[in-house]
């Protein structure tokens, strides 16, 4: 997805909301503990430079500032109205704001769509006001926003009660105000400087995607954090992620509210494998978003990014005062996709000179001796850094780093070494109180208490570095399809029609013939060559095997004749209303690797491509790669290589390499077909699709093309013999 980069100097409809020059606080209070008092208190003490207009119907002055009985009484234009009033009062006040030409509003109050039909009707009125006036609205039912450098602290979050921290280069956008306040507080405890904070609430107007995009375009933001529950506008969210990607700004996102597997028809492998959560994972992978599972992980990764250093490669050195912890860290590193770098022989000899009984192989166990002799610790770090054999170093000191007799000297030694190597990425695992943790940080180290946290943060940095070093995607011309390839209408399609459609995507069918009688089937089998398979052709029979509609490995003509006769008799008894359009006599394809390829509609993001190995066993293996359609050929190659079972395609233990180029072309073409013909195609599944040896292409053993789901029309389901 491409985007047009907009400079922060260019006007945006959200500027008056996120960076207003003048503000009214409706419901302003002298009591700073009340929402309307707290936000005014924050604005005054944060250094907001523009005019402030408190609105209070019974006071002439609020917190030492002239107050007004209502919005109209202000008599001057202003950019933003902050509403800390009841839901019932909010609608009329917004009408007054629209009449006064107010450009934006932040609505704290609850009592809207989140409380049922009456609240939804009230929220609909708010939306109508916004649409008619052009006023941008954040909320309702939101915690507000912060633009720290502008002193615009338009939130009632209690996290700022003890003072306003220095602005930083992190932007946070969250759909949950309560969780957002939690992030604010914990970010402050970790000394993470936030420059922007937006809580979107009910998103009656401004949603997560639009807010994230605005923040991503700020030149004073380097890192983006997000908390996502659902998506109101997929296009705006994808635009925001593309903006961040194009500006090389890492995004760390927590997506919650996973749905059960198999959100769609149980008869469809593709749909059951493409659950909502898997789609989000695919989107995050495509846009380089790091998905955090916990708050600690979210903030750990943000903290690691805040240092502004990323490893150029996976080679990691572990220096430990405990052999046991070193072994643990080796496991963590392997699990995280990093590598224990090899210590050069020269460096090993140097380490033995420092501590003769050390273990100089990575993980490096220098024993507790180096903590008693701080010069040894410094020389150890120096020798490892001088080797230039590692992309990052993790030092484990455990509880030693907080001992009063050792902490000061250790900090001094670490700072001296780090100052000699300012460009190197150094991490420290140490148990320490907050003030000492900051001292170690200032010495030049990323500081984590548990070694697993340090490894996970390093792995996240490496993932971002890999992502941003990837070459830019090369534009590919999508394939052209015949106008009459997919029949127009709602009539279900049979297997023969489905295979004709997928053949246009480069997926050929086996040698097969459609017949209409047992005699014709036997003759067709002689022409094809034995053994053969026979399947009923009917758009009305959803599960052919359940009704005897499939016969496999038939070795001669009489066997084929008998199979068709038995099939016809049973189907006539069990499904007398089914339209029998013939029987498909097909060669039995042997060799190659069975896979599944499908495109199914996601209710939020549209067509989603699924590819995996396993054929009919795919749901057992659950080894699939997923992307939003359409995908390029290059992306299709990436999908295949993501699979745990990728070696089976690449040529496992002497087996011939599969025709992965043909498979990639087919994946891409099928995805483009699903997008371009979405009015007539709901779901496509080719399962199994056999990847033959290189140069022999791919073959569809079975295929289904379903119509889009419509009221009163269920379409035809995939059947799995």
């Amino acid at each position: 997805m491409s985007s047009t980069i907009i400079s922060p100097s260019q006007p945006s409809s959200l500027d008056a909301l996120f960076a207003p020059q003048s503000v009214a606080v409706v419901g302003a209070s002298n009591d700073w503990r009340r929402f309307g008092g707290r936000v005014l208190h924050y604005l005054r003490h944060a250094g907001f430079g523009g005019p402030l207009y408190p609105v209070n119907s019974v006071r002439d002055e609020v917190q030492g500032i002239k107050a007004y009985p209502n919005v109209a009484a202000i008599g001057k234009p202003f950019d933003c109205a902050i509403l800390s009033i009841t839901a019932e009062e909010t609608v009329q006040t917004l009408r007054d704001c629209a009449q006064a030409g107010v450009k934006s509003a932040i609505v704290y109050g609850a009592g809207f769509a989140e409380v049922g039909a009456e609240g939804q009707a009230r929220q609909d009125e708010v939306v109508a006001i916004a649409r008619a006036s052009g006023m941008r609205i954040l909320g309702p039912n939101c915690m507000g926003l912060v633009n720290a450098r502008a002193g615009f602290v338009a939130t009632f979050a209690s996290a700022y009660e003890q003072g306003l921290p220095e602005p930083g280069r992190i932007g946070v956008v969250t759909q949950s105000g309560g969780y957002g306040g939690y992030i604010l507080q914990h970010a402050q405890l970790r000394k993470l400087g936030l420059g922007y904070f937006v809580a979107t609430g009910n998103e009656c107007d401004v949603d997560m995607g639009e807010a994230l995009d605005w923040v991503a375009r700020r030149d004073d933001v380097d890192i983006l954090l997000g908390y996502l529950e659902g998506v109101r506008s997929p296009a705006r969210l994808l635009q925001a992620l593309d903006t961040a990607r194009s500006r090389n700004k890492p995004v760390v996102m927590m997506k919650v509210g996973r749905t059960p597997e198999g959100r769609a028809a149980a008869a469809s492998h593709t749909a059951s494998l493409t659950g909502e959560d898997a789609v989000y994972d695919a989107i995050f992978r495509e846009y380089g978003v790091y998905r955090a599972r916990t708050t600690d992980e979210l903030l750990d990764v943000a903290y690691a990014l805040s240092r502004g250093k990323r490893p150029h490669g996976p080679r990691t050195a572990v220096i430990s005062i405990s052999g046991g912890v070193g072994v643990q860290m080796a496991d963590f590193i392997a699990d995280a996709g990093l590598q224990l770098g090899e210590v050069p022989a020269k460096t090993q000899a140097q380490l033995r000179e420092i501590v003769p009984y050390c273990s100089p192989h990575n993980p490096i166990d220098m024993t507790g001796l180096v903590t008693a002799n701080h010069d040894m610790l410094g020389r150890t770090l120096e020798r490892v850094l001088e080797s230039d054999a590692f992309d990052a170093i993790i030092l484990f000191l455990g509880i030693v780093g907080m001992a009063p007799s050792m902490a000061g000297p250790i900090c001094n030694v670490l700072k001296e070494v780090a100052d000699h190597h300012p460009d190197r990425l150094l991490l420290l695992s140490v148990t320490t109180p907050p003030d000492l943790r900051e001292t170690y940080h200032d010495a030049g180290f990323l500081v984590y208490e548990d070694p697993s946290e340090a490894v996970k943060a390093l792995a996240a940095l490496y993932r971002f570095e890999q992502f941003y070093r990837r070459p830019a995607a090369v534009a590919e011309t999508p394939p052209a399809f015949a106008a009459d390839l997919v029949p127009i209408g709602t009539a279900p399609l049979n297997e023969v029609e489905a295979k004709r459609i997928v053949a246009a995507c480069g997926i050929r069918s086996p040698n097969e013939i459609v017949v209409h009688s047992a005699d014709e089937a036997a003759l067709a089998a002689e022409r094809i060559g034995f053994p053969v398979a026979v399947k009923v052709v009917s758009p009305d029979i959803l599960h052919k095997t359940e009704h005897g509609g499939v016969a496999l490995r038939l070795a001669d003509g009489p066997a084929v004749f008998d199979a068709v006769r038995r099939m016809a008799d049973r189907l006539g008894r069990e499904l007398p209303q089914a339209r029998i359009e013939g029987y498909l006599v097909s060669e039995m394809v042997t060799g190659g690797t069975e896979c599944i390829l499908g495109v199914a509609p996601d209710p939020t993001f549209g067509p989603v491509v699924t590819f995996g190995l396993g054929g009919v066993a795919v749901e057992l293996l659950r080894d699939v790669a997923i992307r939003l359609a359409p995908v390029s050929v290059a992306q299709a190659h990436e999908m295949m290589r993501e699979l745990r079972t990728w070696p089976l395609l690449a040529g496992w233990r002497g087996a011939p390499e599969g025709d992965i180029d043909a498979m990639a072309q087919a994946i891409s073409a099928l995805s483009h077909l699903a997008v371009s013909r979405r009015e007539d195609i709901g779901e496509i599944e080719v399962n199994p699709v056999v990847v033959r040896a290189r140069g022999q292409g791919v073959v569809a053993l079975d295929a289904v093309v379903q119509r889009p789901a419509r009221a009163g029309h269920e379409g035809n389901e995939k059947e799995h013999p």
Side-chain angles (χ1 to χ4, degrees), residues 512-536:
E512 53 192 19
I513 301 171
V514 178
V515 300
H516 297 88
S517 69
D519 289 328
E520 289 181 10
L523 291 174
E526 294 285 351
R527 290 170 54 189
I528 291 171
F530 297 99
V532 298
V534 175
K535 291 185 281 185
V536 67

Side-chain angles (χ1 to χ4, degrees), residues 351-359 369 376:
L351 295 176
R352 285 196 181 97
E353 289 179 4
I354 299 170
V355 179
Y357 299 106
C358 74
S359 175
L369 185 61
M376 288 182 174

Side-chain angles (χ1 to χ4, degrees), residues 490-502:
T490 61
L493 306 172
N494 63 36
E495 179 181 338
V496 175
E497 293 168 319
K499 284 182 173 177
R500 179 180 63 82
I501 291 170
V502 303

